[in-house]
Amino acid sequence: MTKDVEVGGYDYGAKDYQDPPPAPLIDMDELGKWSLYRAAIAEFIATLLFLYVTVLTVIGYKSQSAADQCAGVGILGIAWAFGGMIFVLVYCTAGISGGHINPAVTFGLLLARKVSLVRAVLYIVAQCLGAICGCGLVKAFQKTYYVQYGGGANELSDGYSTGTGVAAEIIGTFVLVYTVFSATDPKRSARDSHVPVLAPLPIGFAVFMVHLATIPVTGTGINPARSFGAAVIYGKDKAWDDQWIFWVGPFVGAAIAAIYHQFVLRAGAVKALGSFRSSSYN
């Protein structure tokens, strides 16, 4: 195996690496493996905990700031809650399920052939159910505040057009999924082995930064399960009227990130074309 060295760059003792083989699109054998269901359970519990802590933080901030504008954690604290929980939960579940905790991340990895369709569907179902249960716990513990302060549901803020909301979700999810691909890239792990990278850390920071930018616009979705679970438990019309924004935007952003990383940065299209030409000559 030859080492992959960038043109015009230097080889600082980079290790050989090998990309894992593409996951089969449909792998029915997975349905008979306990590891698949264990991973789905991990995604369910992780998403439940994610929604419980983050929505509770949002409700707490709104209830405190209602009486005193300077009280509560503020937007910065909310962003830290979302980013911090992703860091913690990805760290805890990465070795079991990959630590997706987000249908958009799962969708992006499906497009990149990192997971099979069977696994992707099961993960998304588990994530949505976990989100519903997490929000349900918040409502059970603080029903009055939950209903009074919007249930942590994502809605397009007044003064912003639908196009702006969709664009914010596309760009925000692109940042997140692009970070996921980059932080878990086997080529990076081999080439930059002298620079230890804890993958959950940049992923959590990506979530934190995107929340700072887009909370004023959409409340920051970038996670269809998060938006769906909150809408189901909150149940108000506004949350459902805007719900499509928080599915279309993240899925489009995830698709763009997958294409950009796999076919531009990793030159997947060029490699495929080169392989085709080689086989033609042979």
Side-chain angles (χ1 to χ4, degrees):
M1 182 188 298
T2 59
K3 296 179 181 179
D4 188 299
V5 182
E6 299 294 337
V7 177
Y10 296 92
D11 180 6
Y12 291 106
K15 297 180 180 179
D16 290 335
Y17 78 96
Q18 183 175 1
D19 285 318
L25 181 60
I26 299 178
D27 185 4
M28 300 306 295
D29 292 339
E30 276 193 310
L31 293 174
K33 297 178 180 178
W34 163 242
S35 60
L36 173 65
Y37 301 103
R38 180 183 63 184
I41 293 171
E43 288 291 309
F44 170 82
I45 296 297
T47 314
L48 183 154
L49 294 175
F50 176 61
L51 267 293
Y52 172 73
V53 171
T54 55
V55 171
L56 201 57
T57 301
V58 172
I59 299 299
Y61 162 66
K62 289 186 175 180
S63 64
Q64 290 174 322
S65 62
D68 181 358
Q69 290 293 327
C70 296
V73 297
I75 290 179
L76 183 63
I78 292 173
W80 270 120
F82 278 87
M85 279 304 292
I86 286 296
F87 168 71
V88 170
L89 294 170
V90 171
Y91 181 84
C92 291
T93 60
I96 302 170
S97 66
H100 298 191
I101 321 173
N102 185 336
V105 171
T106 301
F107 180 66
L109 295 174
L110 171 65
L111 294 181
R113 300 290 299 279
K114 304 292 186 183
V115 296
S116 70
L117 179 61
V118 171
R119 182 175 291 267
V121 170
L122 190 58
Y123 274 20
I124 291 173
V125 171
Q127 291 156 0
C128 290
L129 291 176
I132 292 171
C133 292
C135 291
L137 285 177
V138 177
K139 185 175 182 178
F141 294 154
Q142 295 194 4
K143 184 173 182 179
T144 301
Y145 283 160
Y146 185 89
V147 175
Q148 183 177 354
Y149 295 111
N154 287 122
E155 299 175 356
L156 184 63
S157 299
D158 295 336
Y160 292 97
S161 67
T162 300
T164 299
V166 173
E169 290 296 309
I170 290 174
I171 296 171
T173 311
F174 174 87
V175 172
L176 170 60
V177 178
Y178 174 38
T179 304
V180 169
F181 275 108
S182 298
T184 59
D185 190 342
K187 180 177 180 180
R188 174 186 293 275
S189 299
R191 185 184 61 199
D192 300 334
S193 58
H194 59 288
V195 182
V197 177
L198 185 62
L201 185 59
I203 295 171
F205 262 104
V207 172
F208 167 68
M209 296 304 296
V210 170
H211 274 75
L212 285 182
T214 59
I215 282 177
V217 183
T218 61
T220 308
I222 70 171
N223 184 335
R226 175 260 185 274
S227 303
F228 179 72
V232 168
I233 299 301
Y234 184 52
K236 303 297 182 181
D237 290 342
K238 176 63 174 174
W240 284 114
D241 290 343
D242 295 339
Q243 184 66 199
W244 68 272
I245 295 174
F246 304 103
W247 286 86
V248 173
F251 273 47
V252 171
I256 295 172
I259 293 169
Y260 175 61
H261 185 270
Q262 294 296 104
F263 295 101
V264 177
L265 299 186
R266 292 300 303 274
V270 175
K271 291 177 182 178
L273 181 59
S275 176
F276 174 76
R277 288 176 174 172
S278 298
S279 62
S280 298
Y281 288 129
N282 294 336

